[in-house]
Amino acid sequence: MFLRLESVLEKRALKKSRHYKDIQEGRFVPPIHRSRKMAFYPVMEVDAICSAELAGKTDDEIKHLVQELVALRTEQDPIAAYLASGKTNAEIQSIINQLNRYLSSESELDIYVD
């Protein structure tokens, strides 16, 4: 399950500027982008961070938690991790098209991903 930004801001009782500062400083997970205008936050990650804040964890402990949560995205769902990297739908679709061409042919896979 995912939350939109407005719900995250309400749950954290923060203004948007403070929320983005927390992301920039590593105290909150970055959103998963579906497009330039659509981003989501996994509920489990939001709940974990809010619980840590309510428990009085230090900034360093919260930053460590955030790093672990982002790392779990890669382990549990590589597509979500890739979406979280900020790639656009067009870039993702291009890679999917390349993979489909590769799977339907005998040619070598030659995909450039930065």
Side-chain angles (χ1 to χ4, degrees), residues 28-30 45 65-75 81 84:
F28 204 82
V29 291
E45 294 177 3
L65 172 62
V66 168
Q67 290 172 349
E68 288 179 349
L69 291 171
V70 171
L72 279 175
R73 288 181 182 178
T74 305
E75 293 173 20

Coordinates of all heavy atoms in Angstrom, one line a residue, residues 28-30 45 65-75 81 84:
F28 N 14.3 10.9 5.9 CA 13.1 10.4 5.4 C 13.3 9.7 4.0 O 14.2 10.2 3.3 CB 11.9 11.4 5.3 CG 10.6 10.8 5.3 CD1 10.0 10.5 6.5 CD2 9.9 10.6 4.2 CE1 8.7 9.9 6.6 CE2 8.6 10.0 4.2 CZ 8.0 9.6 5.4
V29 N 12.5 8.7 3.7 CA 12.7 8.0 2.4 C 12.3 8.9 1.2 O 11.3 9.6 1.4 CB 12.0 6.7 2.4 CG1 12.6 5.7 3.3 CG2 10.5 6.9 2.7
P30 N 13.0 8.8 0.1 CA 12.5 9.5 -1.1 C 11.3 8.8 -1.6 O 11.1 7.6 -1.4 CB 13.7 9.4 -2.0 CG 14.4 8.2 -1.6 CD 14.2 8.1 -0.1
E45 N 7.1 2.0 5.1 CA 8.3 2.9 5.4 C 7.9 4.1 6.2 O 8.6 4.5 7.1 CB 8.9 3.3 4.0 CG 9.5 2.1 3.3 CD 10.1 2.5 1.9 OE1 10.1 3.7 1.6 OE2 10.6 1.6 1.2
L65 N 17.9 3.9 9.7 CA 16.7 3.3 9.4 C 16.3 3.6 7.9 O 15.9 2.7 7.2 CB 15.6 3.7 10.3 CG 14.2 3.2 10.0 CD1 14.1 1.7 10.0 CD2 13.1 3.9 11.0
V66 N 16.4 4.8 7.5 CA 16.0 5.3 6.2 C 16.9 4.5 5.2 O 16.4 4.0 4.1 CB 16.2 6.8 6.0 CG1 16.1 7.2 4.6 CG2 15.1 7.5 6.8
Q67 N 18.2 4.4 5.4 CA 19.1 3.7 4.5 C 18.7 2.2 4.4 O 18.7 1.7 3.3 CB 20.6 3.8 5.0 CG 21.2 5.2 4.9 CD 22.5 5.3 5.6 OE1 22.9 4.4 6.4 NE2 23.2 6.4 5.4
E68 N 18.3 1.6 5.5 CA 17.9 0.2 5.5 C 16.6 0.1 4.7 O 16.5 -0.9 3.9 CB 17.7 -0.3 6.9 CG 19.0 -0.5 7.7 CD 18.7 -1.0 9.1 OE1 17.6 -1.0 9.5 OE2 19.7 -1.4 9.7
L69 N 15.7 1.0 4.9 CA 14.4 0.9 4.2 C 14.6 1.0 2.6 O 14.0 0.3 1.9 CB 13.4 2.0 4.7 CG 12.9 1.8 6.1 CD1 12.1 3.0 6.5 CD2 12.0 0.5 6.2
V70 N 15.4 2.0 2.2 CA 15.7 2.2 0.8 C 16.4 0.9 0.3 O 16.1 0.5 -0.8 CB 16.5 3.5 0.6 CG1 17.0 3.6 -0.9 CG2 15.7 4.7 0.9
A71 N 17.3 0.4 1.0 CA 18.0 -0.8 0.6 C 17.1 -2.0 0.4 O 17.2 -2.8 -0.5 CB 19.1 -1.2 1.6
L72 N 16.1 -2.1 1.3 CA 15.1 -3.1 1.2 C 14.3 -3.0 -0.1 O 13.8 -4.0 -0.6 CB 14.1 -3.1 2.4 CG 14.6 -3.8 3.6 CD1 13.7 -3.6 4.8 CD2 14.9 -5.3 3.4
R73 N 14.1 -1.8 -0.6 CA 13.3 -1.7 -1.9 C 14.0 -2.4 -3.0 O 13.4 -3.1 -3.8 CB 13.3 -0.2 -2.3 CG 12.4 0.7 -1.5 CD 12.4 2.1 -2.0 NE 11.6 3.0 -1.2 CZ 11.5 4.3 -1.4 NH1 12.2 4.8 -2.4 NH2 10.7 5.0 -0.7
T74 N 15.3 -2.4 -3.0 CA 16.1 -3.1 -4.0 C 16.0 -4.6 -3.8 O 15.8 -5.3 -4.8 CB 17.6 -2.7 -4.0 OG1 17.7 -1.3 -4.0 CG2 18.4 -3.3 -5.1
E75 N 16.1 -5.1 -2.6 CA 16.0 -6.5 -2.4 C 14.6 -7.1 -2.6 O 14.5 -8.1 -3.2 CB 16.4 -6.8 -0.9 CG 17.9 -6.5 -0.6 CD 18.2 -6.6 0.9 OE1 17.4 -7.3 1.6 OE2 19.2 -6.1 1.3
A81 N 12.5 -0.1 -6.8 CA 13.8 0.5 -6.6 C 14.2 1.3 -7.8 O 14.7 2.4 -7.7 CB 14.9 -0.5 -6.3
A84 N 12.2 4.4 -7.9 CA 12.6 5.3 -6.9 C 13.9 6.1 -7.4 O 14.2 7.1 -6.8 CB 12.9 4.6 -5.6

